[in-house]
Amino acid sequence: MNRAFIFDLDGVIVDTAKFHFIAWQELAKELGIEFTEEHNELLKGVSRTRSLEILLSLGNVTKTESEKDDLAKRKNDHYVALIGNLTSKDIMPGASEFLKEAQSKSIKIALGSASKNAPYILKKLEIDHLFDAKIDGNHVSKAKPDPEVFLKGAEALGVPAKHCLVFEDAQAGVEAAINAGMKCVGIGDESILKNTNLVVAGMDKISVEKAIEIIENK
Ligand code: G6P
Ligand code: MG
């Protein structure tokens, strides 16, 4: 049976979530909007444009389309500066070992990330070659929880959705996986991630064998 693993990037393979948080928080401060780590959960897995809309609505702030473009650009410039020093040392524990083992077992591997910065980050981490297909924010028009990013990944790999397992750290991404008809492993905290097939604290806490069992429904 052809099987596939589809990986979110931020918060699953690399801990860029903290840099997104710093950059959004800085912008929130300038706009006089209170923005906590709890609020930040709402932005995880969500596109840049949609994230800005959520941030503005938290503070009941209205902006024109061109002001929004400018704010999103400023947040991204700050974020890109923050991730400028990323190296393979920033890969989260267990992630590259898991990818390599899956590859050695001929499991197809795709990236399914909302980030338009994903190609830059994968290059910095030196793990591009481990993916058979890469779908990111540059290839989709509908943000998670819409299943577009994962369905495009499955299509690029030629694997039916029901044989795909998604690894996600955001509730919006978990819902996108379910909407795609895929199984899902949550990476993070059980109290935050709902309706998954399993939640583990990190990629070092799950084996490739266990992940295959989830696809096979054992
Ligand atoms: C990921 C992150 C989100 C981020 C989104 C867009 O899914 O979890 O926090 O907003 O990507 O990222 P970008 O790098 O394109 O701004
Ligand atoms: Mg994520």
Side-chain angles (χ1 to χ4, degrees):
M1 174 179 39
N2 235 355
R3 289 169 298 217
F5 293 161
I6 307 184
F7 294 87
D8 174 48
L9 179 63
D10 297 301
V12 172
I13 291 176
V14 61
D15 186 16
T16 41
K18 61 184 178 216
F19 299 124
H20 278 296
F21 179 55
I22 294 170
W24 283 125
Q25 202 174 36
E26 177 72 27
L27 195 71
K29 212 163 99 188
E30 279 177 37
L31 295 166
I33 300 171
E34 195 202 338
F35 185 69
T36 63
E37 289 212 35
E38 211 168 83
H39 293 139
N40 191 52
E41 283 302 318
L42 302 170
L43 272 47
K44 283 191 180 170
V46 177
S47 71
R48 196 180 309 161
T49 322
R50 181 77 196 113
S51 296
L52 177 64
E53 276 162 11
I54 295 172
L55 180 76
L56 293 174
S57 71
L58 284 171
N60 273 322
V61 173
T62 320
K63 294 282 175 192
T64 64
E65 286 309 309
S66 88
E67 284 168 337
K68 283 194 223 169
D69 288 349
D70 176 59
L71 291 170
K73 183 183 179 306
R74 274 173 39 216
K75 182 270 171 179
N76 192 55
D77 289 347
H78 185 188
Y79 174 69
V80 170
L82 291 169
I83 60 171
N85 293 326
L86 279 185
T87 69
S88 57
K89 292 199 183 77
D90 295 296
I91 297 173
M92 287 167 82
S96 81
E97 294 79 359
F98 189 97
L99 285 166
K100 284 178 196 150
E101 197 190 331
Q103 191 183 50
S104 78
K105 291 196 156 70
S106 303
I107 292 167
K108 298 262 200 278
I109 301 173
L111 181 80
S113 166
S115 175
K116 293 187 172 173
N117 292 300
Y120 173 69
I121 294 171
L122 288 186
K123 204 168 277 171
K124 291 223 142 225
L125 301 179
E126 298 174 60
I127 52 170
D128 304 55
H129 61 287
L130 295 173
F131 294 87
D132 301 300
K134 285 170 253 178
I135 312 294
D136 61 46
N138 301 292
H139 307 107
V140 294
S141 57
K142 289 171 244 153
K144 298 172 187 176
D146 189 280
E148 185 184 12
V149 67
F150 295 139
L151 289 174
K152 282 200 164 161
E155 194 188 343
L157 296 174
V159 176
K162 63 176 192 288
H163 294 165
C164 294
L165 177 63
V166 170
F167 295 83
E168 254 298 344
D169 72 314
Q171 189 59 34
V174 171
E175 279 156 28
I178 295 168
N179 291 336
M182 298 177 182
K183 304 265 172 56
C184 184
V185 171
I187 305 296
D189 192 332
E190 254 177 354
S191 65
I192 292 175
L193 300 172
K194 303 293 178 202
N195 306 322
T196 62
N197 295 91
L198 175 73
V199 177
V200 289
M203 290 304 304
D204 56 341
K205 300 285 188 291
I206 179 164
S207 64
V208 170
E209 287 71 26
K210 176 72 194 165
I212 293 172
E213 274 178 34
I214 293 174
I215 297 181
E216 292 174 354
N217 230 343
K218 279 185 194 157

